[in-house]
């Protein structure tokens, strides 16, 4: 508990500005003994003028992490470790094991023929494939085969497991979860499947066959769960969608050509707590800066470029990962004048929107571009 | 007004069964003079035991209609006729100019280089292309190019116009509207564009470029109108979706592989009063019979087959049109053992669903197949 | 079928204006033989410039109907007639037995101790009590006791029955149903309870006890049916609500102080096809005219006044009933400078809203007041 | 950061169980240098078997707090302190200034004639009156007068201010906010009104006059904000609703007669992040135990009794406050056999529901009653 009672004083009308006297200090101590406190000692801290993020911008280079990830293959077995995952640790969020805000992320590696034990949890998850062949995921009896830049959902309350086919290769992917949020909301739970594996009870990739159609859904469906019945989003179709979009639209001044992955049964976010998008920066494109609430973790799916986040430049190329914390100014630039660059992103937008927390602001000065620090 | 007061009597407990006496007849006439009547003289008529349709099943052969449609090219000019359309007239619905239930349909023909005057109405419309090259439609500044088996929306409250490009050919298409419903609901209105034409203010086919992606919508969109922002549904993508669906699903016992066209922003019907679907009967497939509320107009988009509707067989092939009235038993069969057959359908399902009028029943006898009459 | 092919011609750009020649007449007859027709012969009729209603404004005086209603007590038994009801017959809607648009209404009378047979239908119904003591209604096991100006729902798909307690008096009430709409939509169905009566399985008036609270619903409820769980709306609470409303608001220039009865679980209309409201005209109040789509049937619950509908004045007092057809100009006036006047209304607003058919227009001239004809 | 890498090991199939070797320790340190870590060192901690709450059950006795609250009147001025509030501090949540979970609460006192400065923030708030006369709150121009056990909303994004009329008395009330949640979600913001006060632009208590009616809303309203247009919920009407409810229902075995305060325009929670309810324990009533996710803060509005929370008994009487943390077993008992007891509660149920985090479980043993610990 904060005992420097004067540390948050502000000399502004309507804000707390109480000088601690010996009498008041005695009073504060008396209150503490009654599981209470004086609001004016903390009011300015807990009612900030604008959103404050505990996270800091970080860029994780894939070339730096890849070796470390592969090293885990020799250091631990799946049986010992459960899963061989190197998690991303934001210096401002080490206490909650988050990459940014309340979002967890890690890089997982699996050998051909390995299969992780099936489990279920309240946290929502997605898996974005980086490299390797033969990866697949099973969700409630649906098996999805996965290639690079595909991503798959393993939503809150589903039995799921990841694996690599015998005939595949070592596979590396990025996991994204809301574990920190689910824990913070004091709602997480976990169970291991009694057989450690579940049966595949539908044709392989049936979710894509039935639900991945433009403007079409299966007639008479009764899907009403909190997540998308389309469980896999394939890179090829996504990239094609971005290109078609770019031919007929200028896109966003802040984000270029950007599309959100949705639940085709509702048009809403893919899961209740995690949203995802893919955006394309056209050759030579440089966007304007804005800031908004919510936590965002980007993965460069194609090409190279840089982002300026709160005045600091982060250069990225394929499979690098970086984060934009809540309310941080950010803008993006493609490094190439001839090739496009694509950024996959997952975030907590559904939470911001549903709870009424979404706020957005354009960077007005300097033509919408931040001055770059040092 | 009905003056045979005994014609609806039923000798069933809980139903009206009043014999008209001279005294009662005098009473009925007195009531009529006060803009009133005795419910028991009509109660059994207006409270039927099960849904009653005024429409009859009809099949319109394209080969029979095509010549008549083309003949209109020489008989009337667009300036005189507004549009050269041969409407489909259900014998049970001639009073409201409906093909079935409260749905209007017609075959329209237009020469290369012609452009109909732009207008707006409360009725909702769609246009399903049958033959010809160069057809296009403009809706609120969006121009959609159209090929065979494509269909396009011109929703309630939008400025729209149909045309054929100079370099095109004579084009024939099917119009589908809820004009009879909009009139019955006493809500229709109509205006002609002051310039008789509107400007194209977006890139050609931008609606498809932005919205026709599987499981993806433009980020940050704010679409909240009553109809789909995706205004055109292309045959090629639709047929591919059916084939992908068929690989992973057995489909419906009543309808084979069937998909509903949806508003990608909501997952709901394409317009507020009209739904649309495409279904595929696999080689050799024959479905089981059911009946349900709502009015359905089918168009054979590919292949050939037959449908049994209320015990009567209707054989159809490419571009034939037939209707299934509300509560009529119906089942479908593909005529080929090697080729698939596809049926486009538009209907009033959104109305049935929103008003709580949807009811469905399987044909239980005879393995789900109707005996064929005569 | 219309054979005067020239009757709808209009000499306006964008409208059909084809003179019938012998050649065309032959063509039209050929089309008729193929269950088809030429759109341009009917286009201007089915695409009117603005909403057209088949109904005419009518006022039914209670003092004129009351004797006729009571007379039915002696003329028919409940066993013969099912229910002793005098229905209201709009001269423009006699074919569908409607009071206005697609809404049915009638005055029903029942002796103390009588109980109508329990039944179920797809049509939605409400019952507005006019006079008498001891009336009650049972809906799916919930018994509601009813007094003057109370109204009760018997929604689509519920088992229901009306009755008067042994210790009651002769009761008269107004029934309101969407029977014409349900029939038009070809969705109606009907069944008589196998025991001709149902058991009361909940405490009397439990629906009001649980759901009729301001801004409060039972915790953890799971109500998700298409109609309100609050089945009875009591006059006393409604009138008090209007008075409280009037103290803090000027109300609507078109309707005075007007409140809509809602489903407390959703804030939406009480049933899927029928809306209801109560409005209060303050002493001396005279509203401005507007017109809108939808069909409205008013019942004077208190006081007296007049309405001007499409330029014709209709004077009403307690228990008089009158209708405002779709798109008819209308304005209301309280006859008293000291007492308020209240109008109960039921209508098809839910249909207009859900189907995208709602349109509204203020009467701009003459300070918003219509000139009164003849 | 946790450096005792073995502290979360579990010897269970499917869970992490890696013994730290010198080689692994070196690896972990290498990872830490790259803003990364090995998931298996923390997996069992961040994926708990069932929900874990950081909060502990606490009961705050009003008689113990009241003097301390009143003492602040002499210790600080409103100008210095902003507001004279004693906040409730859960021993497990001192870092975020929460009473339970992510909910803040405090007791505020104000002298007659005082008026706090008007402000706006992203956090949502409510104010439950404990004692005194003349309290009022202004929200976006609407002034609400307040008496004991009334509560008022000051939602996210509204200008608001609390005051006591000149002719009133010292007033004490409980504030409830989601400040900790809004901060945790990194979305909070704050502004002081430029005039330090806002104008009252509507009739006093207009929100109640218009919206506090049973099953009635103002016709034609267009309310679509994230919170209730009914801003005040009065004790008298609430208590009457509970009594009416109790006459026709047995209520819940876990909560007695319990009603949720709702937005009358939607039937949903009063604000986007905070729900509220009032429950009544009938004379002699003792409920069964259950546990569920979400954080709940109770205020005894009437009577006395006790609650058993995670096996510990807490006795409460009027104006005592206590909390039930997420997933804590809890059951309630009325101390009186002749009087009812009422508990007001606010909570984060909207968050649990919207994010898919709601889980509930009945205490199955011992007839649903927890054994009480030492």
């Amino acid at each position: 508990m904060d005992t420097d009672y004067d540390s948050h004083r502000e000399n502004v009308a309507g804000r707390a500005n109480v000088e601690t006297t010996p009498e008041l200090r005695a009073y504060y101590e008396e209150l503490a003994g009654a599981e209470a406190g004086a609001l004016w000692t903390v009011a300015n801290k807990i009612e900030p003028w604008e959103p404050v993020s505990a996270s800091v911008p970080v860029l994780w280079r894939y070339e730096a992490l890849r070796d470390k990830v592969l090293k885990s293959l020799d250091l631990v077995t799946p049986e010992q470790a459960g899963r061989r995952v190197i998690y991303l640790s934001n210096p401002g969020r080490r206490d909650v094991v988050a990459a940014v805000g309340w979002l967890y992320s890690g890089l997982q590696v699996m050998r051909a023929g390995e299969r992780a034990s099936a489990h279920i949890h309240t946290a929502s998850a997605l898996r974005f494939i980086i490299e390797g062949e033969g990866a697949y995921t099973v969700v409630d009896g649906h098996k999805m085969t996965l290639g690079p830049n595909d991503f798959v959902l393993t939503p809150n309350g589903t039995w799921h497991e990841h694996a690599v086919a015998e005939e595949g290769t070592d596979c590396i992917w990025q996991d994204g979860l809301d574990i920190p949020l689910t824990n913070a909301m004091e709602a997480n739970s976990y169970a291991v499947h009694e057989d450690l594996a579940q049966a595949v009870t539908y044709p392989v990739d049936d979710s894509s066959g039935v639900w991945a159609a433009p403007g079409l859904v299966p007639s008479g469906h009764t899907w009403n769960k909190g997540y998308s019945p389309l469980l896999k989003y394939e890179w090829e179709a996504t990239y094609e969608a971005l290109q078609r979009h770019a031919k007929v639209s200028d896109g966003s001044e802040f984000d270029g050509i950007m599309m959100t992955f949705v639940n085709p049964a509702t048009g809403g976010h893919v899961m209740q707590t995690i949203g995802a998008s893919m955006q394309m920066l056209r050759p030579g494109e440089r966007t304007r800066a804005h800031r908004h609430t919510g936590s965002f973790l980007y993965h460069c799916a194609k090409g190279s470029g840089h982002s300026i986040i709160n005045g600091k430049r982060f250069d990225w190329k394929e499979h690098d990962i970086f984060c934009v914390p809540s309310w941080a100014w950010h803008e993006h630039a493609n490094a190439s004048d001839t090739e496009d660059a694509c950024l996959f992103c997952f975030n907590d937008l559904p939470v911001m929107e549903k709870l009424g927390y979404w706020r957005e602001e354009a960077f007005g000065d300097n033509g919408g571009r931040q001055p770059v620090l040092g």
Side-chain angles (χ1 to χ4, degrees), chain A:
Chain A
M1 187 158 49
D2 211 332
T3 53
D4 177 2
Y5 302 110
D6 280 15
S7 58
H8 307 294
R9 290 174 60 187
E10 290 180 34
N11 187 13
V12 176
R15 298 287 275 189
N17 188 19
V18 177
E19 187 176 4
T20 305
T21 61
E23 186 183 17
L24 279 172
R25 181 169 297 274
Y27 179 61
Y28 298 157
E29 283 164 10
E30 181 190 353
L31 290 175
E35 314 297 13
L39 177 61
W40 57 85
T41 64
V42 294
N44 297 341
K45 179 178 84 165
I46 68 177
E47 294 189 314
W49 294 102
E50 61 180 41
V52 175
S53 179
S55 299
V56 295
V58 181
L59 183 144
W60 293 269
R61 294 188 197 290
Y62 186 57
E63 64 186 15
L65 283 179
R66 189 175 183 275
D67 283 352
K68 294 180 182 63
V69 170
L70 290 173
K71 193 171 175 181
S72 74
L73 286 172
D74 301 320
L75 287 171
V76 290
T77 66
E79 289 68 30
Q80 293 169 312
R83 291 146 291 171
R84 292 190 207 89
V85 183
I86 302 313
Y87 68 83
L88 308 184
S89 177
N90 192 294
R93 302 297 278 162
R94 297 212 202 284
D95 51 335
V96 293
V97 191
V100 62
W102 298 100
L103 296 172
Y104 162 97
S105 193
L107 298 188
Q108 185 164 174
V109 63
M110 199 176 263
R111 287 193 209 277
E114 287 183 353
R115 181 169 187 168
S117 57
H119 55 254
I120 190 172
H121 43 60
T122 306
S124 295
L126 59 82
R127 179 192 194 192
F128 183 84
I129 306 301
I130 298 175
E131 59 174 275
E133 284 171 24
Y136 68 91
T137 291
V138 186
V139 177
D140 281 348
H142 300 272
K143 176 177 172 177
M144 274 74 64
T145 59
L146 300 162
N149 286 355
D150 290 352
F151 88 96
V152 65
L153 310 178
T154 57
N156 172 348
T158 59
W159 287 104
H160 60 277
E161 59 207 282
H162 301 308
V164 178
E166 289 287 351
E167 65 278 17
T169 65
D170 289 356
C171 288
I172 301 179
W173 64 84
Q174 180 185 4
D175 290 318
L177 294 101
D178 66 349
I179 284 179
L181 180 67
T182 314
N183 287 334
M185 294 299 111
E186 305 184 335
N188 215 355
S189 65
Y190 191 92
V192 178
H193 196 284
E194 59 179 352
D195 302 326
L196 296 184
Q198 63 180 313
V200 174
T201 54
Y202 297 88
V204 171
D205 286 325
D206 76 308
S207 143
S208 301
V210 172
W211 287 99
L216 284 161
V217 300
S219 296
H221 79 79
T222 55
W223 187 263
N224 62 2
K225 297 189 179 177
Y227 54 89
S228 172
L230 174 58
L231 294 166
K232 175 174 62 162
Y233 295 80
E234 296 178 3
W235 165 245
E236 192 182 5
T238 301
Y239 184 61
E240 185 195 328
L242 289 169
Q243 288 180 302
R244 295 181 65 200
H245 190 160
K247 281 186 189 140
V248 295
S249 164
D250 290 336
S252 152
E253 62 178 330
F254 303 120
D255 284 304
I257 298 298
M258 186 171 182
M259 300 189 83
T260 298
F261 296 100
V262 294
N263 174 340
T266 65
H269 287 292
V270 292
M271 296 189 286
Q272 287 168 296
T273 50
I274 301 182
S277 60
M278 184 75 79
Q279 76 196 87
M280 181 170 74
L281 301 171
R282 286 155 294 191
E285 181 160 11
R286 183 175 166 194
T287 70
R288 294 181 192 280
H290 67 155
R291 63 179 177 182
H292 46 67
T293 48
S295 298
F296 294 76
L297 200 63
Y298 292 87
H299 180 128
C300 175
K302 179 171 183 294
S304 63
H306 72 265
S307 299
I308 300 172
I309 308 171
N310 276 348
K312 186 172 170 191
R313 175 170 169 154
F314 295 85
D315 285 84
W316 39 258
K317 60 184 181 184
E318 230 172 279
H319 299 312
D320 288 350
I321 296 170
F322 64 95
C323 69
V324 174
S326 182
W327 211 238
W329 294 111
H330 58 286
E331 61 194 89
H332 308 296
N334 185 345
S336 168
D337 286 330
T338 55
E339 299 294 318
D340 53 48
C342 294
L343 294 171
F344 171 75
C345 175
F346 73 91
N347 53 63
D348 59 1
L349 257 181
V351 178
M352 294 298 111
E353 292 170 356
K354 291 184 207 175
L355 303 189
Y357 287 154
W358 175 253
R359 298 289 187 282
E360 185 182 11
E361 197 173 286
F363 189 83
D365 298 333
N366 195 30
R369 266 70 182 246
Q370 304 164 72
V372 180
L373 308 176

